Amino acid sequence: MRRLANLAPPLLLAAVLLTVWETACRLLDLPVYLLPPPSAVALALVEAGPRLAASAWITFGMAVQALVLAGLIGGGLALAVSLHAGAERAVRPLAVALQVTPVVAVAPLVLIWAGLDHADRAVVALAALVAFFPLFSGVLTGLKSADPDLERLFDLYGATPLQRLWRLRLPSALPFALEGLRVAAGLAVIGAVVAEFVSGSGATQGLAWRLLEAGNRLRTAEMLAGVLCLTVLGLVLNAAVGLAARFLLRR
């Protein structure tokens, strides 16, 4: 009952907004290509459902690949530089530079390096680039967040660096790493979509390509249906990371 009570306000707000949207479109007699009512979007979602589902699966697969790649590179790099303060001072500015560089600016270059026949590799690489910094920063912050009293206790018992890392710093870093993973999950979807927009080749046939195709044909209802699929995709990925985090932290 408590969960139902928590779900009631957002569901009620969504229902009100959809009702206002539908009513405004009908009263103002807006062209469907300009702003379709929710009923038209639902109809487009049913009609284009198979195409959108297939493209959503492709986008989801590329986002997951990018998230795994970003986790391996970002987590491994954070683990390596945490062992030496000088290495951290050298690497952190480069990581920040990667974070603030717009993916749209480097996408054509990555597409050339990956090859026009392998646009999916470029999309995965660009999405991993977007998701890299939250994982790197989360893991590095967590590795440095161990309790100082426990650090001194490990000094007292003469723990080796490997024992200190495995028994103290990695468990301390886990909540930070999982929070970084939650942020990176949403960014991976965004990065995959933006990268596919920029590639513009249609080789990947993901949701971004469906949005471009619908936009070029002024099928606005199908565009909104595709955006809805992207939203659901991000929510599913975020929920999966949340479930994994609760399981790991409980143990």
Side-chain angles (χ1 to χ4, degrees), residues 30-36 218 220 224:
L30 294 175
V32 178
Y33 68 86
L34 183 63
L35 182 62
L218 291 180
T220 311
L224 291 175

Side-chain angles (χ1 to χ4, degrees), residues 163-226:
Q163 288 174 327
R164 186 188 301 270
L165 178 64
W166 181 254
R167 296 179 179 272
L168 175 61
R169 291 183 176 172
L170 282 179
S172 300
L174 186 58
F176 296 88
L178 291 172
E179 186 60 31
L181 184 63
R182 184 190 291 271
V183 176
L187 291 177
V189 176
I190 295 173
V193 172
V194 172
E196 193 176 357
F197 269 130
V198 175
S199 68
S201 63
T204 55
Q205 293 291 317
L207 274 176
W209 176 252
R210 296 300 175 193
L211 291 175
L212 286 173
E213 184 182 40
N216 291 334
R217 299 179 182 181
L218 291 180
R219 296 203 298 251
T220 311
E222 188 173 332
M223 287 185 66
L224 291 175

